[in-house]
Amino acid sequence: MRLFELLLLLSNIGLFALTFLLKKGRRKVFIASGIATLLLVIHWTVEGYRVQLFFSYCITIFFLAISGYSYFRKNGPKKIPRFLLGSAYTVIAIMLVVTAGVMYAFPVFNLPKPTGEFKVGTQTFHLVDTNREEIFDEAREGKRELMVQVWYPVKVGTSKYAPFIPDTPILRYMAANYGLPEFTLQHLKYVSSHAYSGAEVSSAQTSYPLILANPGFGSSRFLHTSQAENLASHGYIVAVIDHTYNTVATEFPDGRITTSTTNDLFSPEDDYRTGRENRDKLGKVLTADVAFTLDQFELIQSGQIPSPLKGRIDLGHVGVFGHSIGGATAYDASYDPRITVGIDLDGGLYRLRDSEDLRKPFLFINSESYFEELNRVINNRVYTDAELNRMGSTREWMDQVTEDKKLELERMRETVDEGGQILYIENTEHLNFTDVQFISPVFNMLGITGKILPERANSVINAYMLDFFDMYLKNQGGILMKGPDSRFQEVKFVTSLL
């Protein structure tokens, strides 16, 4: 919650109280209204207006107009009928309560500060794969296009941070994705990142390891900003890929906005085999996106694509991570010999039946809910009829899900043999692995995110991601991978798989 919008709300409450306490204090009410109006002007000028404060703006202007009229009217104020006055007080009280509630539910929040020694820069690339046709947009013929945002260590930052979400037209799609009116998240344009646009790469090291990141289904590259910034502040170049038509919305340089069409692949009427085939079809495209992006970074490194990153990328040490289906993408992409190590954040795997042993260290960090699902399979617990009815599923469907989970567990065991780990974090849900958890405390109340505080979830996930990447991409760290740590008691090592 920003300073002047908070002061504006408090001034509205004060004005409301003054009308009861000072029945004949016309001058004081007028002065207080003037102060509230000044706060309104400062708020609009310094912080910028937002729709959530519409009632507060109306109350401020209303009190200024009424108190000004009353103060300057020579014959004194005209007596207002008690019923009309009571109704006005009731409406204003309701407006104040609604405004306070909305300000709490949708704050202009601060992203967690990166914990590393480096300042962070950012640059966005528009990449076109001329060798692949776009298969998820039937309306137009074209090649596969991606928007990729990069965060990296910088020498000196500019005077102003880049916005958290600079492509503000997509905010209305993001709101709709969570079942909210389109205007609801427009205030996110005021949320700042901790990165500087286009700044010079730090000369502290000759080159920096590269990490490729993948958002989940219907997500966005912006929703992994805090993770990317933190890794960059510790000496990594982090590229988060917007997988076109699998994101909530992606804006291209020419103003085109694509939305998610891959949800059309998954119909409730499909049988399990069809659903699995469609998941694998999507997965193949997402994995190819990672390979193509890595190809492009080889061109960036050589200077064929202009960037401050030219000659500064350590392509001998490449990692990958992702959330949800992006985590499965990270696993599948790790078969690329150019990729050293990977992390899956709460994502079930795809293309399990076609893949061989990975033979690389890989870290799985799961939510408590997902671990409970895996634990059911580990313990061969069968769903009851009541549970199946509640989920709207059939026993045949769940039996096939269980068979796939058994294959997934086998893959997870193999990665532990290669130096990886399997963890889960208590009191987390699926979206605690993204910056969605900072958008609204209401998400926590609805169970969309877990009981854990967003800041704590973020710091725990970042600590384990950094430790794992440091161990395999920088030959340092690895302390957290050795076992339970008293600093992170929420983290549980899954040993029952072994």
PDB file of all heavy atoms in Angstrom, residues 312-337:
ATOM      1  N   ARG A 312      29.565 -12.529 -23.178  1.00  0.00           N
ATOM      2  CA  ARG A 312      29.518 -12.609 -21.716  1.00  0.00           C
ATOM      3  C   ARG A 312      28.757 -13.827 -21.203  1.00  0.00           C
ATOM      4  O   ARG A 312      28.571 -13.974 -19.987  1.00  0.00           O
ATOM      5  CB  ARG A 312      28.877 -11.329 -21.142  1.00  0.00           C
ATOM      6  CG  ARG A 312      29.444 -10.028 -21.681  1.00  0.00           C
ATOM      7  CD  ARG A 312      30.949  -9.937 -21.526  1.00  0.00           C
ATOM      8  NE  ARG A 312      31.360 -10.025 -20.140  1.00  0.00           N
ATOM      9  CZ  ARG A 312      31.350  -8.969 -19.315  1.00  0.00           C
ATOM     10  NH1 ARG A 312      30.984  -7.769 -19.756  1.00  0.00           N
ATOM     11  NH2 ARG A 312      31.731  -9.109 -18.060  1.00  0.00           N
ATOM     12  N   ILE A 313      28.313 -14.709 -22.107  1.00  0.00           N
ATOM     13  CA  ILE A 313      27.505 -15.867 -21.716  1.00  0.00           C
ATOM     14  C   ILE A 313      28.399 -17.109 -21.638  1.00  0.00           C
ATOM     15  O   ILE A 313      29.106 -17.444 -22.593  1.00  0.00           O
ATOM     16  CB  ILE A 313      26.367 -16.118 -22.730  1.00  0.00           C
ATOM     17  CG1 ILE A 313      25.573 -14.833 -22.976  1.00  0.00           C
ATOM     18  CG2 ILE A 313      25.455 -17.227 -22.229  1.00  0.00           C
ATOM     19  CD1 ILE A 313      24.597 -14.943 -24.132  1.00  0.00           C
ATOM     20  N   ASP A 314      28.355 -17.796 -20.513  1.00  0.00           N
ATOM     21  CA  ASP A 314      29.106 -19.043 -20.343  1.00  0.00           C
ATOM     22  C   ASP A 314      28.239 -20.196 -20.842  1.00  0.00           C
ATOM     23  O   ASP A 314      27.452 -20.780 -20.083  1.00  0.00           O
ATOM     24  CB  ASP A 314      29.471 -19.232 -18.872  1.00  0.00           C
ATOM     25  CG  ASP A 314      30.280 -20.503 -18.628  1.00  0.00           C
ATOM     26  OD1 ASP A 314      30.541 -21.234 -19.600  1.00  0.00           O
ATOM     27  OD2 ASP A 314      30.646 -20.747 -17.461  1.00  0.00           O
ATOM     28  N   LEU A 315      28.377 -20.519 -22.114  1.00  0.00           N
ATOM     29  CA  LEU A 315      27.542 -21.557 -22.725  1.00  0.00           C
ATOM     30  C   LEU A 315      28.005 -22.967 -22.370  1.00  0.00           C
ATOM     31  O   LEU A 315      27.354 -23.948 -22.741  1.00  0.00           O
ATOM     32  CB  LEU A 315      27.526 -21.379 -24.247  1.00  0.00           C
ATOM     33  CG  LEU A 315      26.769 -20.140 -24.740  1.00  0.00           C
ATOM     34  CD1 LEU A 315      26.990 -19.933 -26.233  1.00  0.00           C
ATOM     35  CD2 LEU A 315      25.282 -20.252 -24.424  1.00  0.00           C
ATOM     36  N   GLY A 316      29.103 -23.061 -21.630  1.00  0.00           N
ATOM     37  CA  GLY A 316      29.545 -24.357 -21.135  1.00  0.00           C
ATOM     38  C   GLY A 316      28.864 -24.753 -19.842  1.00  0.00           C
ATOM     39  O   GLY A 316      28.999 -25.892 -19.382  1.00  0.00           O
ATOM     40  N   HIS A 317      28.134 -23.812 -19.249  1.00  0.00           N
ATOM     41  CA  HIS A 317      27.414 -24.071 -17.999  1.00  0.00           C
ATOM     42  C   HIS A 317      26.006 -23.503 -18.143  1.00  0.00           C
ATOM     43  O   HIS A 317      25.768 -22.319 -17.898  1.00  0.00           O
ATOM     44  CB  HIS A 317      28.136 -23.438 -16.813  1.00  0.00           C
ATOM     45  CG  HIS A 317      29.486 -24.034 -16.546  1.00  0.00           C
ATOM     46  ND1 HIS A 317      30.634 -23.590 -17.178  1.00  0.00           N
ATOM     47  CD2 HIS A 317      29.862 -25.071 -15.743  1.00  0.00           C
ATOM     48  CE1 HIS A 317      31.661 -24.309 -16.756  1.00  0.00           C
ATOM     49  NE2 HIS A 317      31.225 -25.213 -15.899  1.00  0.00           N
ATOM     50  N   VAL A 318      25.079 -24.357 -18.562  1.00  0.00           N
ATOM     51  CA  VAL A 318      23.700 -23.950 -18.832  1.00  0.00           C
ATOM     52  C   VAL A 318      22.747 -24.753 -17.950  1.00  0.00           C
ATOM     53  O   VAL A 318      22.838 -25.984 -17.869  1.00  0.00           O
ATOM     54  CB  VAL A 318      23.336 -24.155 -20.315  1.00  0.00           C
ATOM     55  CG1 VAL A 318      21.878 -23.750 -20.574  1.00  0.00           C
ATOM     56  CG2 VAL A 318      24.276 -23.359 -21.216  1.00  0.00           C
ATOM     57  N   GLY A 319      21.841 -24.043 -17.301  1.00  0.00           N
ATOM     58  CA  GLY A 319      20.809 -24.681 -16.501  1.00  0.00           C
ATOM     59  C   GLY A 319      19.431 -24.352 -17.031  1.00  0.00           C
ATOM     60  O   GLY A 319      19.262 -23.494 -17.911  1.00  0.00           O
ATOM     61  N   VAL A 320      18.425 -25.023 -16.491  1.00  0.00           N
ATOM     62  CA  VAL A 320      17.049 -24.785 -16.919  1.00  0.00           C
ATOM     63  C   VAL A 320      16.131 -25.036 -15.733  1.00  0.00           C
ATOM     64  O   VAL A 320      16.404 -25.895 -14.891  1.00  0.00           O
ATOM     65  CB  VAL A 320      16.682 -25.698 -18.122  1.00  0.00           C
ATOM     66  CG1 VAL A 320      16.737 -27.171 -17.732  1.00  0.00           C
ATOM     67  CG2 VAL A 320      15.311 -25.358 -18.688  1.00  0.00           C
ATOM     68  N   PHE A 321      15.065 -24.242 -15.611  1.00  0.00           N
ATOM     69  CA  PHE A 321      14.043 -24.521 -14.607  1.00  0.00           C
ATOM     70  C   PHE A 321      12.692 -24.108 -15.158  1.00  0.00           C
ATOM     71  O   PHE A 321      12.581 -23.432 -16.191  1.00  0.00           O
ATOM     72  CB  PHE A 321      14.347 -23.833 -13.275  1.00  0.00           C
ATOM     73  CG  PHE A 321      14.020 -22.362 -13.191  1.00  0.00           C
ATOM     74  CD1 PHE A 321      12.754 -21.928 -12.804  1.00  0.00           C
ATOM     75  CD2 PHE A 321      14.983 -21.405 -13.475  1.00  0.00           C
ATOM     76  CE1 PHE A 321      12.459 -20.565 -12.703  1.00  0.00           C
ATOM     77  CE2 PHE A 321      14.702 -20.039 -13.370  1.00  0.00           C
ATOM     78  CZ  PHE A 321      13.435 -19.626 -12.989  1.00  0.00           C
ATOM     79  N   GLY A 322      11.637 -24.517 -14.464  1.00  0.00           N
ATOM     80  CA  GLY A 322      10.289 -24.138 -14.879  1.00  0.00           C
ATOM     81  C   GLY A 322       9.276 -24.511 -13.830  1.00  0.00           C
ATOM     82  O   GLY A 322       9.558 -25.281 -12.897  1.00  0.00           O
ATOM     83  N   HIS A 323       8.084 -23.948 -13.983  1.00  0.00           N
ATOM     84  CA  HIS A 323       6.995 -24.189 -13.049  1.00  0.00           C
ATOM     85  C   HIS A 323       5.862 -24.907 -13.752  1.00  0.00           C
ATOM     86  O   HIS A 323       5.535 -24.600 -14.909  1.00  0.00           O
ATOM     87  CB  HIS A 323       6.484 -22.862 -12.475  1.00  0.00           C
ATOM     88  CG  HIS A 323       5.211 -22.985 -11.708  1.00  0.00           C
ATOM     89  ND1 HIS A 323       4.027 -22.417 -12.135  1.00  0.00           N
ATOM     90  CD2 HIS A 323       4.926 -23.630 -10.547  1.00  0.00           C
ATOM     91  CE1 HIS A 323       3.074 -22.690 -11.253  1.00  0.00           C
ATOM     92  NE2 HIS A 323       3.587 -23.423 -10.291  1.00  0.00           N
ATOM     93  N   SER A 324       5.240 -25.882 -13.076  1.00  0.00           N
ATOM     94  CA  SER A 324       4.093 -26.600 -13.610  1.00  0.00           C
ATOM     95  C   SER A 324       4.482 -27.297 -14.917  1.00  0.00           C
ATOM     96  O   SER A 324       5.487 -28.011 -14.945  1.00  0.00           O
ATOM     97  CB  SER A 324       2.918 -25.632 -13.790  1.00  0.00           C
ATOM     98  OG  SER A 324       1.718 -26.321 -13.990  1.00  0.00           O
ATOM     99  N   ILE A 325       3.752 -27.061 -15.999  1.00  0.00           N
ATOM    100  CA  ILE A 325       4.159 -27.697 -17.253  1.00  0.00           C
ATOM    101  C   ILE A 325       5.503 -27.139 -17.725  1.00  0.00           C
ATOM    102  O   ILE A 325       6.242 -27.793 -18.463  1.00  0.00           O
ATOM    103  CB  ILE A 325       3.083 -27.536 -18.341  1.00  0.00           C
ATOM    104  CG1 ILE A 325       3.322 -28.562 -19.465  1.00  0.00           C
ATOM    105  CG2 ILE A 325       3.055 -26.110 -18.903  1.00  0.00           C
ATOM    106  CD1 ILE A 325       2.193 -28.671 -20.463  1.00  0.00           C
ATOM    107  N   GLY A 326       5.852 -25.943 -17.244  1.00  0.00           N
ATOM    108  CA  GLY A 326       7.181 -25.408 -17.506  1.00  0.00           C
ATOM    109  C   GLY A 326       8.253 -26.206 -16.788  1.00  0.00           C
ATOM    110  O   GLY A 326       9.402 -26.291 -17.248  1.00  0.00           O
ATOM    111  N   GLY A 327       7.917 -26.794 -15.630  1.00  0.00           N
ATOM    112  CA  GLY A 327       8.844 -27.681 -14.939  1.00  0.00           C
ATOM    113  C   GLY A 327       9.053 -28.963 -15.716  1.00  0.00           C
ATOM    114  O   GLY A 327      10.173 -29.487 -15.803  1.00  0.00           O
ATOM    115  N   ALA A 328       7.965 -29.497 -16.284  1.00  0.00           N
ATOM    116  CA  ALA A 328       8.091 -30.662 -17.149  1.00  0.00           C
ATOM    117  C   ALA A 328       8.932 -30.331 -18.381  1.00  0.00           C
ATOM    118  O   ALA A 328       9.727 -31.148 -18.850  1.00  0.00           O
ATOM    119  CB  ALA A 328       6.695 -31.131 -17.581  1.00  0.00           C
ATOM    120  N   THR A 329       8.760 -29.109 -18.898  1.00  0.00           N
ATOM    121  CA  THR A 329       9.573 -28.648 -20.030  1.00  0.00           C
ATOM    122  C   THR A 329      11.045 -28.620 -19.647  1.00  0.00           C
ATOM    123  O   THR A 329      11.911 -29.021 -20.429  1.00  0.00           O
ATOM    124  CB  THR A 329       9.114 -27.246 -20.474  1.00  0.00           C
ATOM    125  OG1 THR A 329       7.732 -27.293 -20.823  1.00  0.00           O
ATOM    126  CG2 THR A 329       9.924 -26.755 -21.665  1.00  0.00           C
ATOM    127  N   ALA A 330      11.336 -28.144 -18.447  1.00  0.00           N
ATOM    128  CA  ALA A 330      12.721 -28.100 -17.979  1.00  0.00           C
ATOM    129  C   ALA A 330      13.316 -29.501 -17.940  1.00  0.00           C
ATOM    130  O   ALA A 330      14.464 -29.718 -18.358  1.00  0.00           O
ATOM    131  CB  ALA A 330      12.785 -27.453 -16.599  1.00  0.00           C
ATOM    132  N   TYR A 331      12.540 -30.466 -17.455  1.00  0.00           N
ATOM    133  CA  TYR A 331      13.021 -31.847 -17.399  1.00  0.00           C
ATOM    134  C   TYR A 331      13.269 -32.380 -18.811  1.00  0.00           C
ATOM    135  O   TYR A 331      14.330 -32.931 -19.109  1.00  0.00           O
ATOM    136  CB  TYR A 331      12.011 -32.728 -16.666  1.00  0.00           C
ATOM    137  CG  TYR A 331      12.427 -34.177 -16.578  1.00  0.00           C
ATOM    138  CD1 TYR A 331      13.205 -34.625 -15.519  1.00  0.00           C
ATOM    139  CD2 TYR A 331      12.058 -35.088 -17.566  1.00  0.00           C
ATOM    140  CE1 TYR A 331      13.604 -35.951 -15.440  1.00  0.00           C
ATOM    141  CE2 TYR A 331      12.453 -36.414 -17.496  1.00  0.00           C
ATOM    142  CZ  TYR A 331      13.225 -36.849 -16.431  1.00  0.00           C
ATOM    143  OH  TYR A 331      13.621 -38.166 -16.371  1.00  0.00           O
ATOM    144  N   ASP A 332      12.297 -32.206 -19.687  1.00  0.00           N
ATOM    145  CA  ASP A 332      12.410 -32.743 -21.042  1.00  0.00           C
ATOM    146  C   ASP A 332      13.548 -32.067 -21.810  1.00  0.00           C
ATOM    147  O   ASP A 332      14.275 -32.717 -22.562  1.00  0.00           O
ATOM    148  CB  ASP A 332      11.083 -32.544 -21.782  1.00  0.00           C
ATOM    149  CG  ASP A 332      10.874 -33.558 -22.897  1.00  0.00           C
ATOM    150  OD1 ASP A 332      11.057 -34.757 -22.636  1.00  0.00           O
ATOM    151  OD2 ASP A 332      10.541 -33.141 -24.016  1.00  0.00           O
ATOM    152  N   ALA A 333      13.704 -30.752 -21.613  1.00  0.00           N
ATOM    153  CA  ALA A 333      14.757 -30.009 -22.301  1.00  0.00           C
ATOM    154  C   ALA A 333      16.142 -30.410 -21.822  1.00  0.00           C
ATOM    155  O   ALA A 333      17.136 -30.230 -22.546  1.00  0.00           O
ATOM    156  CB  ALA A 333      14.557 -28.509 -22.108  1.00  0.00           C
ATOM    157  N   SER A 334      16.230 -30.960 -20.602  1.00  0.00           N
ATOM    158  CA  SER A 334      17.525 -31.322 -20.037  1.00  0.00           C
ATOM    159  C   SER A 334      18.186 -32.479 -20.767  1.00  0.00           C
ATOM    160  O   SER A 334      19.377 -32.745 -20.564  1.00  0.00           O
ATOM    161  CB  SER A 334      17.378 -31.666 -18.543  1.00  0.00           C
ATOM    162  OG  SER A 334      17.026 -30.516 -17.806  1.00  0.00           O
ATOM    163  N   TYR A 335      17.451 -33.171 -21.636  1.00  0.00           N
ATOM    164  CA  TYR A 335      18.080 -34.198 -22.471  1.00  0.00           C
ATOM    165  C   TYR A 335      19.026 -33.573 -23.499  1.00  0.00           C
ATOM    166  O   TYR A 335      19.873 -34.256 -24.068  1.00  0.00           O
ATOM    167  CB  TYR A 335      17.006 -35.029 -23.181  1.00  0.00           C
ATOM    168  CG  TYR A 335      16.323 -36.022 -22.281  1.00  0.00           C
ATOM    169  CD1 TYR A 335      15.186 -35.677 -21.551  1.00  0.00           C
ATOM    170  CD2 TYR A 335      16.804 -37.318 -22.151  1.00  0.00           C
ATOM    171  CE1 TYR A 335      14.559 -36.582 -20.716  1.00  0.00           C
ATOM    172  CE2 TYR A 335      16.185 -38.247 -21.323  1.00  0.00           C
ATOM    173  CZ  TYR A 335      15.059 -37.868 -20.605  1.00  0.00           C
ATOM    174  OH  TYR A 335      14.448 -38.785 -19.761  1.00  0.00           O
ATOM    175  N   ASP A 336      18.870 -32.269 -23.765  1.00  0.00           N
ATOM    176  CA  ASP A 336      19.786 -31.565 -24.660  1.00  0.00           C
ATOM    177  C   ASP A 336      21.191 -31.610 -24.045  1.00  0.00           C
ATOM    178  O   ASP A 336      21.386 -31.199 -22.902  1.00  0.00           O
ATOM    179  CB  ASP A 336      19.319 -30.105 -24.806  1.00  0.00           C
ATOM    180  CG  ASP A 336      20.056 -29.340 -25.901  1.00  0.00           C
ATOM    181  OD1 ASP A 336      21.290 -29.494 -26.000  1.00  0.00           O
ATOM    182  OD2 ASP A 336      19.403 -28.570 -26.623  1.00  0.00           O
ATOM    183  N   PRO A 337      22.189 -32.104 -24.789  1.00  0.00           N
ATOM    184  CA  PRO A 337      23.544 -32.223 -24.224  1.00  0.00           C
ATOM    185  C   PRO A 337      24.170 -30.891 -23.822  1.00  0.00           C
ATOM    186  O   PRO A 337      25.132 -30.869 -23.053  1.00  0.00           O
ATOM    187  CB  PRO A 337      24.339 -32.894 -25.350  1.00  0.00           C
ATOM    188  CG  PRO A 337      23.545 -32.643 -26.598  1.00  0.00           C
ATOM    189  CD  PRO A 337      22.114 -32.611 -26.164  1.00  0.00           C
TER     190      PRO A 337
END
